[in-house]
Amino acid sequence: MSQPSPPKAAAVVDIHTHMYPPSYVSMLRSRTEIPLVRTFPASPEDPRLILLSSEVPLLLEAESNPARSNQIIPGRPLTRHYSSLAQKIHFMDTHKIAISVLSLANPWLDFLSPAEAPLVAKETNTSFSDMCASHPGRLYFFGTLPLTAPTSEIQSCIDNLSRTPYCRGVILGTSGLGSGLDDPNLLPIFSALAEKNLTIFLHPHYGLPNQVYGPRQAEYGHVLPLALGFPMETTIAVTRMFLAGVFDSIPTLQIILAHSGGTLPFLAGRIESCIAHDGHLFSRQQQKTGGEKRRTLWEVLNTQIYLDAVVYSDVGVQAAVAASSGGERGGGGGGLERLMFGTDHPFFPPLGTDEQGEWESVSLNAQAVGRALGEGTEAAEKVMGGNAIRVLRLVGE
Amino acid sequence: MSQPSPPKAAAVVDIHTHMYPPSYVSMLRSRTEIPLVRTFPASPEDPRLILLSSEVPLLLEAESNPARSNQIIPGRPLTRHYSSLAQKIHFMDTHKIAISVLSLANPWLDFLSPAEAPLVAKETNTSFSDMCASHPGRLYFFGTLPLTAPTSEIQSCIDNLSRTPYCRGVILGTSGLGSGLDDPNLLPIFSALAEKNLTIFLHPHYGLPNQVYGPRQAEYGHVLPLALGFPMETTIAVTRMFLAGVFDSIPTLQIILAHSGGTLPFLAGRIESCIAHDGHLFSRQQQKTGGEKRRTLWEVLNTQIYLDAVVYSDVGVQAAVAASSGGERGGGGGGLERLMFGTDHPFFPPLGTDEQGEWESVSLNAQAVGRALGEGTEAAEKVMGGNAIRVLRLVGE
C-alpha cells in the first residue's frame, strides 16, 4: 500500500455521510421501540428502518394489519447502503468523492441504558476505526459518545477517540445529557473535546413535536418532520448553546452544524435583534458589573461555527457563506472558509431509479455550490473539499 | 384637505405595522386568560401585555407575589404605541414613512366565541377604516376575519371588507378554522379573498410548544419564542398550505409572509428535495393519472407569495430576494418585485432610550435593505415602498 500524500486541491470531501455498522443494525433488529428495524410478511426481503416518532402511527397500523402490510409501509428501506463499506466506497467512486468523514446515523446511542452505552460506543467507534484503516486516506470518522453513561465514561471515550488515528471529532445530537446542549453539566465534556481538538458535528434527530404539523400530516409523507423539523431542531439547539454562553466559555470549541445550520444563517439577524430588544436580558446585562461588550452570534458564526453545504439550493449556499462571513456586522470575509460539502448518504436515495447510479440528492447539493460560487472556481473547490481538508486535518491516499 | 395624488417613487411604505384599537385594549383588560392586559400594584402606571403561552409562568409568579411584582415583570409594556393613532403618525413621521398599512396585532380574534367574533371583527374593522379615513393617503389596512364564527359570517365580513375603501387585504394567523391553513374547509374563504383581490398577510402568534426550548428557557427572556418560534410557525403553516395544494387550487391567491417568510427562503431547497425523495409522495404521484408536472415551491414563491423585509440582516434580505426570484430552478428575475419593507411597530421598542425617537428595530431593517441592494438604488426603493404601492394599489396624499 502506498504512503499517504496530501489530497489534490480539487479533491471532493464528504463530511456528512452516515453508516450503521453491522453490530448496530443487529441491535436495531432486536428492539421493540424506535429506533428499530422490522421486516413485514408482505416483503420479507425489504427490512424497514423506523426512526422518527412521526413514523410510529404507520408502524402500529402495519403491525395490526399484516395482510395489508404491502400497502402500509412505515419508515424507509434499510438497504445495504447503511452498513456495507463496499457500498460506501462504490457510492464515493460513483460521485467522485475522494474522502468521506463517516459518522454513525441518528439517533446514535441516545436510547441506550447507562450500562449499555459505553459498550456499544466502544464497539461502534472500533468498527469505524477499522473501516478507516482498511482504506487509508479515503476514510475518516466522527466518533460517538455514550452520553447516557456517567461522565467518567464519556471522558474516557473522548480520551480514546483522541488517540484513534482516523477520528477527527464526534457526532452529537441535540439532547446532550437529557436536557439539551445548554446544560451547564456539559461544559466539562465540551472543554475536553476542545482540548483534544475534536470537532463536534451537530446533527438533528428529534425534530419538533408532531402536533405542530396538524391533523393532515400523514398525507405529506415524511416531508414536514424531515424538511422542517430537522433544521429547526438544529437551530434551536445551537441558539440555546449561544444564549447560555457556551461559546464564550470555551472559545476553542469548534462545531459543524448539519444542513447548513438548519435555519441559523437566515435567522441570525432576528436572533440578534430579539436579544438587543429583550427587556429581561437588557436589565440583566445592565446589572452586570464591568459592562463588557457582548459577543454577537455573527462573531461566533465567523469563528467557532462551521456549516455543511447540505442545503439543496444556491439561495441556501449563498446565505450560509454570507452568514459565516460574520454577516452584516462582522466585517465580511472568511465565510468561504467555513462551508463544507456533504451528501447525507445513505438517506434520500433516488426513487424509481438505480441506487447504484448517481444520486440526485448529491447532485442537487453539488450544483447548488457551483451555481452559488461558480463551477470550478477556487471558492467552489474550497467548499467541495479544501475547507474540510484544512479544518479536519485530512491527509489523502 | 387636498386630493390624493400618486406617492413619490422613493416613498417608504410600512406594510408590517400593528395596532390594537382602544375597544380591543378594553377587551384585553377584562380577560382572565391570555391574551390579556394586567396592571401590577408595584407599578400601576405600567400596564403589561401578556400574549404568549411562554409568558404565563411569569404571570402566575407575579400574581402570587404581589410584593415582588416590581422584580417579576411578565409580558411587555402596553404603551400608547399600541392604541394611539397620533403616536402611530408620530412614529411614521420620525422614520420618514409615507404610508402605513395597519393591521390588528396578534392574536387577532382567535380566542373569541362564535357569537362574539363577528361583533368584534366589525368593531375592529370599522376602527381601522375610520383611522385610515382620518389620514387619507397615509394609512391603509389589512382587515380581521371572525374565523371562529360560522362560514357565512366570515364570507359576509369578506364582502364588507372588499367594499371598504382603505382595506387591501386581511391579516391571518396560522390556526385558520382551528386546524391550520391546510384545512380544505378554508378553500372557499381563500377563494373569496382571491376573487375580491384581498391579499392575505400571514403572521405568526403561537410559535412552537414550549417544551422545545428546554428547562432553561426562562433565562433567555423572550428570545427563543420570538426569534425562533415565530418564524418557524410561519414556515410550517405555509409549507402545509403548499403541500395541501392550496396554491394550485387557487392560482390567484396572493399571500404576504411576515418576517420574510419565517425561514422559507432558506429551507425551500430542502423542502423541494424532501418532496422529490419521499417514497409516499412519489408513489401517490405515480398513481395519479395524467402525470401532469408538479408546480414547485420556487414557482409559487415567484408568483403567489410576497415576503416582507422584516429579517434584520442583509443575509436575510439577499436570501429573500433570491428565493422570490424562483431560486435556482425558476430562471431568476422577479425577486426584487416581491419584497416589501415593514417595521413590526409597536413591538421591539428601543430599550433604555427615548421611545419617541428613532427605533433601532426599524433602522436595522432599513439598513439591511440598503446593504443588500445598495443604498438609494432603484432596487432598494422598490423594496422600501415601490412594491407595496404597486401590489397593494396604494395612492398617496
Side-chain angles (χ1 to χ4, degrees), chain B residues 69-99:
Chain B
S69 71
N70 55 339
Q71 280 126 39
I72 308 163
I73 309 174
R76 71 219 74 217
L78 183 84
T79 63
R80 49 200 301 278
H81 284 267
Y82 283 84
S83 54
S84 157
L85 182 59
Q87 185 68 71
K88 179 68 79 182
I89 298 290
H90 174 81
F91 173 86
M92 289 170 64
D93 291 342
T94 305
H95 295 90
K96 301 190 173 52
I97 292 164
I99 306 175

PDB file of all heavy atoms in Angstrom, chain B residues 69-99:
ATOM      1  N   SER B  69     -43.744  42.185  42.716  1.00  0.00           N
ATOM      2  CA  SER B  69     -44.140  42.374  41.323  1.00  0.00           C
ATOM      3  C   SER B  69     -43.341  43.467  40.627  1.00  0.00           C
ATOM      4  O   SER B  69     -43.514  43.704  39.437  1.00  0.00           O
ATOM      5  CB  SER B  69     -45.645  42.644  41.209  1.00  0.00           C
ATOM      6  OG  SER B  69     -45.938  43.934  41.700  1.00  0.00           O
ATOM      7  N   ASN B  70     -42.465  44.162  41.366  1.00  0.00           N
ATOM      8  CA  ASN B  70     -41.579  45.078  40.641  1.00  0.00           C
ATOM      9  C   ASN B  70     -40.336  44.350  40.101  1.00  0.00           C
ATOM     10  O   ASN B  70     -39.627  44.864  39.255  1.00  0.00           O
ATOM     11  CB  ASN B  70     -41.161  46.285  41.497  1.00  0.00           C
ATOM     12  CG  ASN B  70     -40.530  45.844  42.800  1.00  0.00           C
ATOM     13  OD1 ASN B  70     -40.734  44.712  43.239  1.00  0.00           O
ATOM     14  ND2 ASN B  70     -39.755  46.732  43.403  1.00  0.00           N
ATOM     15  N   GLN B  71     -40.086  43.158  40.650  1.00  0.00           N
ATOM     16  CA  GLN B  71     -38.977  42.368  40.094  1.00  0.00           C
ATOM     17  C   GLN B  71     -39.448  41.370  39.035  1.00  0.00           C
ATOM     18  O   GLN B  71     -38.749  41.100  38.074  1.00  0.00           O
ATOM     19  CB  GLN B  71     -38.261  41.589  41.207  1.00  0.00           C
ATOM     20  CG  GLN B  71     -37.291  42.449  42.001  1.00  0.00           C
ATOM     21  CD  GLN B  71     -37.591  42.370  43.475  1.00  0.00           C
ATOM     22  OE1 GLN B  71     -37.927  41.321  44.003  1.00  0.00           O
ATOM     23  NE2 GLN B  71     -37.490  43.505  44.149  1.00  0.00           N
ATOM     24  N   ILE B  72     -40.654  40.824  39.273  1.00  0.00           N
ATOM     25  CA  ILE B  72     -41.179  39.824  38.340  1.00  0.00           C
ATOM     26  C   ILE B  72     -42.089  40.541  37.356  1.00  0.00           C
ATOM     27  O   ILE B  72     -43.212  40.910  37.696  1.00  0.00           O
ATOM     28  CB  ILE B  72     -41.974  38.739  39.093  1.00  0.00           C
ATOM     29  CG1 ILE B  72     -41.136  38.172  40.233  1.00  0.00           C
ATOM     30  CG2 ILE B  72     -42.426  37.653  38.141  1.00  0.00           C
ATOM     31  CD1 ILE B  72     -41.955  37.413  41.248  1.00  0.00           C
ATOM     32  N   ILE B  73     -41.606  40.764  36.163  1.00  0.00           N
ATOM     33  CA  ILE B  73     -42.382  41.560  35.221  1.00  0.00           C
ATOM     34  C   ILE B  73     -42.722  40.722  33.999  1.00  0.00           C
ATOM     35  O   ILE B  73     -41.879  40.528  33.111  1.00  0.00           O
ATOM     36  CB  ILE B  73     -41.608  42.830  34.806  1.00  0.00           C
ATOM     37  CG1 ILE B  73     -41.116  43.573  36.055  1.00  0.00           C
ATOM     38  CG2 ILE B  73     -42.483  43.739  33.964  1.00  0.00           C
ATOM     39  CD1 ILE B  73     -40.231  44.750  35.747  1.00  0.00           C
ATOM     40  N   PRO B  74     -43.951  40.206  33.948  1.00  0.00           N
ATOM     41  CA  PRO B  74     -44.303  39.367  32.803  1.00  0.00           C
ATOM     42  C   PRO B  74     -44.680  40.206  31.573  1.00  0.00           C
ATOM     43  O   PRO B  74     -45.040  41.378  31.687  1.00  0.00           O
ATOM     44  CB  PRO B  74     -45.512  38.582  33.309  1.00  0.00           C
ATOM     45  CG  PRO B  74     -46.147  39.468  34.331  1.00  0.00           C
ATOM     46  CD  PRO B  74     -45.052  40.354  34.891  1.00  0.00           C
ATOM     47  N   GLY B  75     -44.592  39.583  30.390  1.00  0.00           N
ATOM     48  CA  GLY B  75     -45.036  40.230  29.152  1.00  0.00           C
ATOM     49  C   GLY B  75     -44.218  41.448  28.794  1.00  0.00           C
ATOM     50  O   GLY B  75     -43.022  41.517  29.054  1.00  0.00           O
ATOM     51  N   ARG B  76     -44.889  42.444  28.203  1.00  0.00           N
ATOM     52  CA  ARG B  76     -44.206  43.655  27.736  1.00  0.00           C
ATOM     53  C   ARG B  76     -45.069  44.853  28.071  1.00  0.00           C
ATOM     54  O   ARG B  76     -46.288  44.721  28.233  1.00  0.00           O
ATOM     55  CB  ARG B  76     -43.954  43.574  26.229  1.00  0.00           C
ATOM     56  CG  ARG B  76     -45.221  43.710  25.396  1.00  0.00           C
ATOM     57  CD  ARG B  76     -45.223  42.784  24.222  1.00  0.00           C
ATOM     58  NE  ARG B  76     -45.460  41.443  24.663  1.00  0.00           N
ATOM     59  CZ  ARG B  76     -44.899  40.354  24.154  1.00  0.00           C
ATOM     60  NH1 ARG B  76     -44.091  40.460  23.157  1.00  0.00           N
ATOM     61  NH2 ARG B  76     -45.178  39.160  24.666  1.00  0.00           N
ATOM     62  N   PRO B  77     -44.464  46.064  28.156  1.00  0.00           N
ATOM     63  CA  PRO B  77     -45.262  47.247  28.487  1.00  0.00           C
ATOM     64  C   PRO B  77     -46.282  47.551  27.391  1.00  0.00           C
ATOM     65  O   PRO B  77     -45.951  47.548  26.205  1.00  0.00           O
ATOM     66  CB  PRO B  77     -44.225  48.364  28.592  1.00  0.00           C
ATOM     67  CG  PRO B  77     -43.006  47.870  27.890  1.00  0.00           C
ATOM     68  CD  PRO B  77     -43.031  46.383  27.980  1.00  0.00           C
ATOM     69  N   LEU B  78     -47.533  47.771  27.804  1.00  0.00           N
ATOM     70  CA  LEU B  78     -48.564  48.187  26.832  1.00  0.00           C
ATOM     71  C   LEU B  78     -48.550  49.714  26.770  1.00  0.00           C
ATOM     72  O   LEU B  78     -49.281  50.390  27.498  1.00  0.00           O
ATOM     73  CB  LEU B  78     -49.946  47.697  27.256  1.00  0.00           C
ATOM     74  CG  LEU B  78     -51.041  48.046  26.245  1.00  0.00           C
ATOM     75  CD1 LEU B  78     -51.083  47.000  25.129  1.00  0.00           C
ATOM     76  CD2 LEU B  78     -52.406  48.179  26.899  1.00  0.00           C
ATOM     77  N   THR B  79     -47.690  50.238  25.911  1.00  0.00           N
ATOM     78  CA  THR B  79     -47.578  51.694  25.792  1.00  0.00           C
ATOM     79  C   THR B  79     -48.666  52.231  24.872  1.00  0.00           C
ATOM     80  O   THR B  79     -49.399  51.461  24.240  1.00  0.00           O
ATOM     81  CB  THR B  79     -46.207  52.070  25.213  1.00  0.00           C
ATOM     82  OG1 THR B  79     -46.131  51.510  23.895  1.00  0.00           O
ATOM     83  CG2 THR B  79     -45.072  51.505  26.063  1.00  0.00           C
ATOM     84  N   ARG B  80     -48.733  53.568  24.750  1.00  0.00           N
ATOM     85  CA  ARG B  80     -49.719  54.148  23.836  1.00  0.00           C
ATOM     86  C   ARG B  80     -49.371  53.888  22.373  1.00  0.00           C
ATOM     87  O   ARG B  80     -50.193  54.142  21.484  1.00  0.00           O
ATOM     88  CB  ARG B  80     -49.926  55.637  24.128  1.00  0.00           C
ATOM     89  CG  ARG B  80     -48.688  56.481  24.267  1.00  0.00           C
ATOM     90  CD  ARG B  80     -48.998  57.775  25.024  1.00  0.00           C
ATOM     91  NE  ARG B  80     -50.019  58.558  24.344  1.00  0.00           N
ATOM     92  CZ  ARG B  80     -49.748  59.371  23.310  1.00  0.00           C
ATOM     93  NH1 ARG B  80     -48.531  59.516  22.865  1.00  0.00           N
ATOM     94  NH2 ARG B  80     -50.728  60.053  22.747  1.00  0.00           N
ATOM     95  N   HIS B  81     -48.173  53.371  22.132  1.00  0.00           N
ATOM     96  CA  HIS B  81     -47.833  52.972  20.765  1.00  0.00           C
ATOM     97  C   HIS B  81     -48.814  51.927  20.218  1.00  0.00           C
ATOM     98  O   HIS B  81     -48.955  51.791  19.017  1.00  0.00           O
ATOM     99  CB  HIS B  81     -46.405  52.418  20.707  1.00  0.00           C
ATOM    100  CG  HIS B  81     -45.343  53.471  20.772  1.00  0.00           C
ATOM    101  ND1 HIS B  81     -44.783  54.041  19.658  1.00  0.00           N
ATOM    102  CD2 HIS B  81     -44.759  54.078  21.831  1.00  0.00           C
ATOM    103  CE1 HIS B  81     -43.876  54.943  20.024  1.00  0.00           C
ATOM    104  NE2 HIS B  81     -43.837  54.989  21.335  1.00  0.00           N
ATOM    105  N   TYR B  82     -49.443  51.182  21.112  1.00  0.00           N
ATOM    106  CA  TYR B  82     -50.350  50.123  20.654  1.00  0.00           C
ATOM    107  C   TYR B  82     -51.707  50.650  20.174  1.00  0.00           C
ATOM    108  O   TYR B  82     -52.310  50.077  19.291  1.00  0.00           O
ATOM    109  CB  TYR B  82     -50.580  49.077  21.750  1.00  0.00           C
ATOM    110  CG  TYR B  82     -49.413  48.129  21.913  1.00  0.00           C
ATOM    111  CD1 TYR B  82     -48.315  48.473  22.704  1.00  0.00           C
ATOM    112  CD2 TYR B  82     -49.394  46.905  21.268  1.00  0.00           C
ATOM    113  CE1 TYR B  82     -47.226  47.618  22.836  1.00  0.00           C
ATOM    114  CE2 TYR B  82     -48.313  46.044  21.396  1.00  0.00           C
ATOM    115  CZ  TYR B  82     -47.237  46.409  22.181  1.00  0.00           C
ATOM    116  OH  TYR B  82     -46.164  45.561  22.302  1.00  0.00           O
ATOM    117  N   SER B  83     -52.179  51.733  20.803  1.00  0.00           N
ATOM    118  CA  SER B  83     -53.567  52.107  20.508  1.00  0.00           C
ATOM    119  C   SER B  83     -53.768  53.557  20.086  1.00  0.00           C
ATOM    120  O   SER B  83     -54.877  53.918  19.690  1.00  0.00           O
ATOM    121  CB  SER B  83     -54.441  51.808  21.732  1.00  0.00           C
ATOM    122  OG  SER B  83     -53.903  52.450  22.874  1.00  0.00           O
ATOM    123  N   SER B  84     -52.727  54.377  20.155  1.00  0.00           N
ATOM    124  CA  SER B  84     -52.913  55.789  19.809  1.00  0.00           C
ATOM    125  C   SER B  84     -52.547  56.059  18.352  1.00  0.00           C
ATOM    126  O   SER B  84     -51.406  55.829  17.935  1.00  0.00           O
ATOM    127  CB  SER B  84     -52.051  56.668  20.723  1.00  0.00           C
ATOM    128  OG  SER B  84     -51.803  57.914  20.104  1.00  0.00           O
ATOM    129  N   LEU B  85     -53.501  56.584  17.609  1.00  0.00           N
ATOM    130  CA  LEU B  85     -53.238  56.905  16.206  1.00  0.00           C
ATOM    131  C   LEU B  85     -52.238  58.049  16.098  1.00  0.00           C
ATOM    132  O   LEU B  85     -51.369  58.041  15.209  1.00  0.00           O
ATOM    133  CB  LEU B  85     -54.547  57.259  15.486  1.00  0.00           C
ATOM    134  CG  LEU B  85     -54.398  57.560  13.993  1.00  0.00           C
ATOM    135  CD1 LEU B  85     -53.803  56.375  13.239  1.00  0.00           C
ATOM    136  CD2 LEU B  85     -55.743  57.945  13.384  1.00  0.00           C
ATOM    137  N   ALA B  86     -52.346  59.039  17.013  1.00  0.00           N
ATOM    138  CA  ALA B  86     -51.393  60.158  16.994  1.00  0.00           C
ATOM    139  C   ALA B  86     -49.968  59.628  17.156  1.00  0.00           C
ATOM    140  O   ALA B  86     -49.027  60.092  16.502  1.00  0.00           O
ATOM    141  CB  ALA B  86     -51.718  61.148  18.116  1.00  0.00           C
ATOM    142  N   GLN B  87     -49.814  58.638  18.027  1.00  0.00           N
ATOM    143  CA  GLN B  87     -48.498  58.041  18.239  1.00  0.00           C
ATOM    144  C   GLN B  87     -48.016  57.318  16.989  1.00  0.00           C
ATOM    145  O   GLN B  87     -46.836  57.384  16.631  1.00  0.00           O
ATOM    146  CB  GLN B  87     -48.587  57.076  19.431  1.00  0.00           C
ATOM    147  CG  GLN B  87     -47.287  56.472  19.855  1.00  0.00           C
ATOM    148  CD  GLN B  87     -46.333  57.491  20.468  1.00  0.00           C
ATOM    149  OE1 GLN B  87     -46.559  57.966  21.575  1.00  0.00           O
ATOM    150  NE2 GLN B  87     -45.288  57.832  19.742  1.00  0.00           N
ATOM    151  N   LYS B  88     -48.920  56.620  16.320  1.00  0.00           N
ATOM    152  CA  LYS B  88     -48.544  55.928  15.065  1.00  0.00           C
ATOM    153  C   LYS B  88     -48.066  56.943  14.034  1.00  0.00           C
ATOM    154  O   LYS B  88     -47.035  56.721  13.372  1.00  0.00           O
ATOM    155  CB  LYS B  88     -49.740  55.123  14.532  1.00  0.00           C
ATOM    156  CG  LYS B  88     -49.501  54.368  13.236  1.00  0.00           C
ATOM    157  CD  LYS B  88     -48.519  53.215  13.366  1.00  0.00           C
ATOM    158  CE  LYS B  88     -49.146  51.986  13.976  1.00  0.00           C
ATOM    159  NZ  LYS B  88     -48.180  50.880  14.149  1.00  0.00           N
ATOM    160  N   ILE B  89     -48.797  58.063  13.902  1.00  0.00           N
ATOM    161  CA  ILE B  89     -48.405  59.077  12.913  1.00  0.00           C
ATOM    162  C   ILE B  89     -47.053  59.691  13.304  1.00  0.00           C
ATOM    163  O   ILE B  89     -46.194  59.924  12.446  1.00  0.00           O
ATOM    164  CB  ILE B  89     -49.498  60.175  12.806  1.00  0.00           C
ATOM    165  CG1 ILE B  89     -50.826  59.557  12.313  1.00  0.00           C
ATOM    166  CG2 ILE B  89     -49.049  61.318  11.899  1.00  0.00           C
ATOM    167  CD1 ILE B  89     -50.827  59.107  10.872  1.00  0.00           C
ATOM    168  N   HIS B  90     -46.854  59.928  14.605  1.00  0.00           N
ATOM    169  CA  HIS B  90     -45.567  60.439  15.067  1.00  0.00           C
ATOM    170  C   HIS B  90     -44.435  59.463  14.720  1.00  0.00           C
ATOM    171  O   HIS B  90     -43.365  59.868  14.240  1.00  0.00           O
ATOM    172  CB  HIS B  90     -45.600  60.672  16.582  1.00  0.00           C
ATOM    173  CG  HIS B  90     -44.263  61.052  17.154  1.00  0.00           C
ATOM    174  ND1 HIS B  90     -43.757  62.333  17.107  1.00  0.00           N
ATOM    175  CD2 HIS B  90     -43.302  60.300  17.755  1.00  0.00           C
ATOM    176  CE1 HIS B  90     -42.554  62.356  17.659  1.00  0.00           C
ATOM    177  NE2 HIS B  90     -42.260  61.132  18.069  1.00  0.00           N
ATOM    178  N   PHE B  91     -44.690  58.198  14.945  1.00  0.00           N
ATOM    179  CA  PHE B  91     -43.702  57.153  14.606  1.00  0.00           C
ATOM    180  C   PHE B  91     -43.396  57.168  13.102  1.00  0.00           C
ATOM    181  O   PHE B  91     -42.231  57.094  12.681  1.00  0.00           O
ATOM    182  CB  PHE B  91     -44.239  55.785  15.041  1.00  0.00           C
ATOM    183  CG  PHE B  91     -43.405  54.618  14.597  1.00  0.00           C
ATOM    184  CD1 PHE B  91     -42.320  54.191  15.348  1.00  0.00           C
ATOM    185  CD2 PHE B  91     -43.701  53.939  13.422  1.00  0.00           C
ATOM    186  CE1 PHE B  91     -41.547  53.102  14.928  1.00  0.00           C
ATOM    187  CE2 PHE B  91     -42.935  52.860  13.001  1.00  0.00           C
ATOM    188  CZ  PHE B  91     -41.857  52.443  13.753  1.00  0.00           C
ATOM    189  N   MET B  92     -44.454  57.293  12.293  1.00  0.00           N
ATOM    190  CA  MET B  92     -44.259  57.332  10.832  1.00  0.00           C
ATOM    191  C   MET B  92     -43.417  58.561  10.446  1.00  0.00           C
ATOM    192  O   MET B  92     -42.489  58.459   9.634  1.00  0.00           O
ATOM    193  CB  MET B  92     -45.610  57.378  10.117  1.00  0.00           C
ATOM    194  CG  MET B  92     -46.393  56.076  10.194  1.00  0.00           C
ATOM    195  SD  MET B  92     -48.117  56.238   9.593  1.00  0.00           S
ATOM    196  CE  MET B  92     -47.856  56.654   7.859  1.00  0.00           C
ATOM    197  N   ASP B  93     -43.747  59.711  11.025  1.00  0.00           N
ATOM    198  CA  ASP B  93     -43.009  60.939  10.699  1.00  0.00           C
ATOM    199  C   ASP B  93     -41.545  60.819  11.110  1.00  0.00           C
ATOM    200  O   ASP B  93     -40.636  61.207  10.367  1.00  0.00           O
ATOM    201  CB  ASP B  93     -43.653  62.144  11.389  1.00  0.00           C
ATOM    202  CG  ASP B  93     -45.031  62.466  10.796  1.00  0.00           C
ATOM    203  OD1 ASP B  93     -45.315  61.990   9.668  1.00  0.00           O
ATOM    204  OD2 ASP B  93     -45.829  63.159  11.462  1.00  0.00           O
ATOM    205  N   THR B  94     -41.321  60.281  12.316  1.00  0.00           N
ATOM    206  CA  THR B  94     -39.946  60.131  12.813  1.00  0.00           C
ATOM    207  C   THR B  94     -39.095  59.289  11.875  1.00  0.00           C
ATOM    208  O   THR B  94     -37.915  59.558  11.684  1.00  0.00           O
ATOM    209  CB  THR B  94     -39.962  59.458  14.209  1.00  0.00           C
ATOM    210  OG1 THR B  94     -40.807  60.215  15.067  1.00  0.00           O
ATOM    211  CG2 THR B  94     -38.565  59.377  14.808  1.00  0.00           C
ATOM    212  N   HIS B  95     -39.719  58.247  11.304  1.00  0.00           N
ATOM    213  CA  HIS B  95     -38.964  57.317  10.463  1.00  0.00           C
ATOM    214  C   HIS B  95     -39.174  57.567   8.976  1.00  0.00           C
ATOM    215  O   HIS B  95     -38.821  56.723   8.147  1.00  0.00           O
ATOM    216  CB  HIS B  95     -39.326  55.874  10.841  1.00  0.00           C
ATOM    217  CG  HIS B  95     -38.913  55.503  12.236  1.00  0.00           C
ATOM    218  ND1 HIS B  95     -39.756  55.681  13.322  1.00  0.00           N
ATOM    219  CD2 HIS B  95     -37.748  55.043  12.742  1.00  0.00           C
ATOM    220  CE1 HIS B  95     -39.120  55.300  14.420  1.00  0.00           C
ATOM    221  NE2 HIS B  95     -37.902  54.918  14.103  1.00  0.00           N
ATOM    222  N   LYS B  96     -39.782  58.738   8.635  1.00  0.00           N
ATOM    223  CA  LYS B  96     -39.982  59.121   7.225  1.00  0.00           C
ATOM    224  C   LYS B  96     -40.757  58.054   6.450  1.00  0.00           C
ATOM    225  O   LYS B  96     -40.404  57.691   5.312  1.00  0.00           O
ATOM    226  CB  LYS B  96     -38.640  59.410   6.552  1.00  0.00           C
ATOM    227  CG  LYS B  96     -37.852  60.537   7.225  1.00  0.00           C
ATOM    228  CD  LYS B  96     -36.649  60.952   6.400  1.00  0.00           C
ATOM    229  CE  LYS B  96     -35.983  62.181   6.994  1.00  0.00           C
ATOM    230  NZ  LYS B  96     -35.648  62.052   8.448  1.00  0.00           N
ATOM    231  N   ILE B  97     -41.785  57.514   7.121  1.00  0.00           N
ATOM    232  CA  ILE B  97     -42.650  56.527   6.470  1.00  0.00           C
ATOM    233  C   ILE B  97     -43.845  57.262   5.869  1.00  0.00           C
ATOM    234  O   ILE B  97     -44.603  57.926   6.591  1.00  0.00           O
ATOM    235  CB  ILE B  97     -43.111  55.456   7.492  1.00  0.00           C
ATOM    236  CG1 ILE B  97     -41.906  54.616   7.923  1.00  0.00           C
ATOM    237  CG2 ILE B  97     -44.216  54.585   6.903  1.00  0.00           C
ATOM    238  CD1 ILE B  97     -42.132  53.789   9.176  1.00  0.00           C
ATOM    239  N   ALA B  98     -43.991  57.186   4.554  1.00  0.00           N
ATOM    240  CA  ALA B  98     -45.057  57.921   3.875  1.00  0.00           C
ATOM    241  C   ALA B  98     -46.421  57.260   4.099  1.00  0.00           C
ATOM    242  O   ALA B  98     -47.415  57.938   4.356  1.00  0.00           O
ATOM    243  CB  ALA B  98     -44.750  58.000   2.374  1.00  0.00           C
ATOM    244  N   ILE B  99     -46.443  55.945   3.996  1.00  0.00           N
ATOM    245  CA  ILE B  99     -47.705  55.203   4.071  1.00  0.00           C
ATOM    246  C   ILE B  99     -47.524  53.985   4.970  1.00  0.00           C
ATOM    247  O   ILE B  99     -46.522  53.265   4.852  1.00  0.00           O
ATOM    248  CB  ILE B  99     -48.148  54.695   2.672  1.00  0.00           C
ATOM    249  CG1 ILE B  99     -48.209  55.854   1.671  1.00  0.00           C
ATOM    250  CG2 ILE B  99     -49.482  53.971   2.759  1.00  0.00           C
ATOM    251  CD1 ILE B  99     -48.522  55.404   0.238  1.00  0.00           C
TER     252      ILE B  99
END
